Amino acid sequence: MNRAFSRKKDKTWMHTPEALSKHYIPYNAKFLGSTEVEQPKGTEVVRDAVRKLKFARHIKKSEGQKIPKVELQISIYGVKILEPKTKEVQHNCQLHRISFCADDKTDKRIFTFICKDSESNKHLCYVFDSEKCAEEITLTIGQAFDLAYRKFLESGGKDVETRKQIAGLQKRIQDLETENMELKNKVQDLESQLRIAQVSTSPAGSVTPKSPSTDIFDMIPFSPISHPSSTPTRNGTQPPPIPSRSTEIKRDLFGAEPFDPFNCGAGDFPPDIQSKLDEMQEGFKMGLTLEGTVFCLDPLDSRC
């Protein structure tokens, strides 16, 4: 698997892993807004979005409107955008949905990231104005992504693809067993027809019972026709079948059944959980790109 996290230059992380795993890192910023973009990554993509939202900000400022202040809470669970006083969550951007993050090298206040919306599946570019700590916020998001990716692998996320492959193999085995059974039935039908033909062509009065034919190992071939049961009957009816012994399914402390690689199928996970695992795997596979770039000067470097 390719690296899930990439950046132009190696930088020292800003926080301890415990701070992002067990708590969150808060930042105050002004929220310029979000706008839909066509691509999940790219300097040119976010540059156009920043220009668009900066222009909208200047119009609102000329009309006397203030740019709303927000609080960012960054952890391995995502980037939350809250109203500072009421702590109401306005946006909750999960890290596996964030694909690109950049800060402005000429304007230390501006930073942005691209996140795939959970409802519309559209790529949205979020733009913020912080107090000269845009690079620190960008690195914090990068560190949180890196930790979240590692935690996903440690918690079994790396087995998602393996489980899919096992499920596919189990389905193939079932198909082969069904095909094998159909072929056996055809062979038995042909053998029955051959015996009938032999009996009908033998001279009258010379019909003698024949023992069942055997294979090269002197074994009687399998027959789907059930033989009379030696179990005593009552009033000509068969006794009810003996119920199979039920075994208690062991569960873990969360009440979930343990994963069995030899009994893996579509029902192992509810569809919503399986789709969530697949989504997280794809998001982390795509990775997060951190970029320090210039948003407001020309000529501009469009390299990603």
Side-chain angles (χ1 to χ4, degrees):
M1 181 180 295
N2 296 331
R3 291 181 62 190
F5 174 75
S6 63
R7 47 188 171 172
K8 287 294 183 180
K9 295 181 180 179
D10 291 334
K11 300 209 181 256
T12 304
W13 291 131
M14 308 296 299
H15 310 282
T16 63
E18 291 74 16
L20 289 165
S21 300
K22 299 180 179 180
H23 307 284
Y24 61 84
I25 307 299
Y27 290 98
N28 293 319
K30 294 180 180 179
F31 186 31
L32 275 65
S34 63
T35 184
E36 183 181 351
V37 293
E38 296 296 328
Q39 300 295 329
K41 294 177 182 284
T43 304
E44 191 66 37
V45 175
V46 295
R47 183 181 291 123
D48 291 342
V50 169
R51 285 174 171 168
K52 177 180 178 180
L53 292 173
K54 273 188 172 182
F55 180 74
R57 179 186 67 171
H58 288 310
I59 294 178
K60 291 181 180 180
K61 191 174 181 179
S62 64
E63 295 175 348
Q65 299 183 29
K66 292 184 177 180
I67 308 301
K69 294 181 180 180
V70 294
E71 177 183 331
L72 299 176
Q73 293 182 356
I74 304 173
S75 70
I76 62 171
Y77 300 103
V79 179
K80 288 185 179 180
I81 305 172
L82 302 88
E83 204 285 325
K85 294 182 180 179
T86 64
K87 302 298 180 182
E88 180 184 355
V89 178
Q90 299 177 351
H91 302 277
N92 187 10
C93 302
Q94 296 174 310
L95 291 173
H96 67 274
R97 290 181 167 271
I98 299 178
S99 54
F100 193 86
C101 190
D103 56 273
D104 193 336
K105 291 306 176 186
T106 59
D107 187 345
K108 299 296 184 181
R109 301 173 304 173
I110 301 297
F111 75 95
T112 178
F113 62 81
I114 297 176
C115 180
K116 190 176 183 180
D117 184 69
S118 59
E119 296 182 359
S120 65
N121 278 332
K122 295 179 179 179
H123 297 288
L124 302 178
C125 183
Y126 295 79
V127 181
F128 301 87
D129 183 338
S130 66
E131 292 296 330
K132 298 184 179 179
C133 57
E135 183 178 14
E136 179 180 337
I137 296 175
T138 300
L139 288 174
T140 301
I141 294 176
Q143 183 181 6
F145 186 97
D146 186 56
L147 290 171
Y149 174 62
R150 295 175 188 273
K151 187 176 181 66
F152 178 74
L153 293 181
E154 292 171 0
S155 64
K158 60 185 176 182
D159 294 332
V160 173
E161 191 64 33
T162 303
R163 293 176 184 182
K164 285 183 179 180
Q165 293 175 1
I166 292 175
L169 290 174
Q170 291 292 326
K171 180 64 168 59
R172 178 60 177 158
I173 291 172
Q174 291 176 2
D175 293 342
L176 290 174
E177 288 178 345
T178 302
E179 182 180 352
N180 187 39
M181 182 59 67
E182 292 175 352
L183 291 174
K184 281 184 178 180
N185 292 335
K186 289 181 180 179
V187 170
Q188 290 159 12
D189 290 340
L190 291 174
E191 289 178 347
S192 299
Q193 293 175 13
L194 180 60
R195 285 195 294 269
I196 294 172
Q198 290 174 346
V199 170
S200 62
T201 56
S202 42
S206 62
V207 178
T208 57
K210 292 185 178 181
S211 60
S213 59
T214 59
D215 59 17
I216 60 174
F217 299 104
D218 201 31
M219 299 290 291
I220 299 176
F222 169 80
S223 174
I225 303 175
S226 60
H227 297 283
S229 173
S230 59
T231 306
T233 62
R234 270 187 259 175
N235 299 325
T237 60
Q238 291 288 340
I242 299 175
S244 60
R245 185 179 62 179
S246 62
T247 57
E248 183 179 356
I249 300 176
K250 296 182 179 179
R251 299 176 183 271
D252 60 19
L253 56 90
F254 300 105
E257 296 180 14
F259 169 68
D260 183 0
F262 298 103
N263 189 23
C264 180
D268 284 346
F269 300 103
D272 55 340
I273 296 179
Q274 185 62 55
S275 62
K276 184 67 174 178
L277 288 172
D278 294 342
E279 174 198 315
M280 292 181 70
Q281 184 188 35
E282 291 303 316
F284 283 125
K285 264 187 177 181
M286 176 180 290
L288 171 65
T289 301
L290 296 189
E291 184 105 348
T293 187
V294 177
F295 292 142
C296 54
L297 298 178
D298 288 316
L300 301 173
D301 182 8
S302 60
R303 290 178 299 175
C304 177

